[in-house]
Amino acid sequence: MVFFSIIRQLIKALAIIAGGAVLLMMGITVIDVLLRLFGTGITGAYDLVRACGVVAVACALPYLTAVKGHIAIEFFYHKCSRLGRLILDSLLRLSALAIFGVLTVQLYRHGLALLASGEVFPNLGLPVFWIPMLVSFNFILMMIVFLYHLTHPGREFIKP
């Protein structure tokens, strides 16, 4: 299906962005530490590392969900029959859909509130509204993957 193909490509692109954010966090930290040896540093390094951390985690979550990389409740899974596993998996995914649905709406609203208030990073002065909006966007992608897994039990959305 074309829709799922587009979502797969988007999730893969976000996974690359997540990896880049981790590399950027490492680079900023190393350069900041080295510069501090010479009595200076990167202004706003803490803010940049925090933002990159959020980007890394938020953008990696849809990929992790798509490849079923989360730790399952193995103890319970092994105790259940095939039908029991299917029921347990479906209940967990439906619960996740509800939880992430609420979180998505609340994070988006929080992003709008930050935009309206003009909230910025303390040292850099850059706006922060985009952070909860980025997380909510990634949660939407996760919910699409949850729906796929509900309708296609036992299959990964993306092959690792």
Side-chain angles (χ1 to χ4, degrees):
M1 189 171 173
V2 176
F3 174 73
F4 288 134
S5 177
I6 292 168
I7 297 297
R8 278 185 190 93
Q9 295 307 314
L10 182 58
I11 289 173
K12 288 177 183 178
L14 288 167
I16 292 169
I17 291 170
V22 170
L23 290 175
L24 191 58
M25 278 181 5
M26 292 175 6
I28 291 168
T29 302
V30 168
I31 292 170
D32 190 46
V33 168
L34 291 176
L35 287 175
R36 287 182 189 275
L37 294 174
F38 300 105
T40 186
I42 299 174
T43 302
Y46 178 69
D47 293 340
L48 291 171
V49 169
R50 282 189 333 173
C52 286
V54 172
V55 169
V57 171
C59 291
L61 280 174
Y63 182 79
L64 185 66
T65 304
V67 298
K68 292 189 173 183
H70 298 290
I71 298 171
I73 308 171
E74 293 295 324
F75 177 76
F76 293 114
Y77 272 46
H78 291 298
K79 299 286 182 191
C80 294
S81 65
R82 180 162 165 69
L83 178 63
R85 288 183 202 152
L86 183 65
I87 291 169
L88 183 59
D89 190 56
S90 297
L91 288 174
L92 291 174
R93 293 197 191 285
L94 287 170
S95 300
L97 272 170
I99 291 166
F100 282 103
V102 170
L103 287 173
T104 298
V105 171
Q106 293 302 319
L107 280 167
Y108 186 77
R109 286 181 181 166
H110 182 61
L112 290 176
L114 290 173
L115 178 62
S117 70
E119 185 78 25
V120 296
F121 283 108
N123 295 318
L124 295 175
L126 297 174
V128 296
F129 72 90
W130 61 272
I131 293 174
M133 290 184 171
L134 175 71
V135 175
S136 68
F137 174 73
N138 281 287
F139 283 178
I140 290 170
L141 293 175
M142 286 177 62
M143 290 189 304
I144 291 169
V145 173
F146 287 142
L147 287 171
Y148 178 86
H149 286 153
L150 278 170
T151 58
H152 301 86
R155 292 178 43 196
E156 293 98 355
F157 188 72
I158 297 175
K159 301 284 187 212

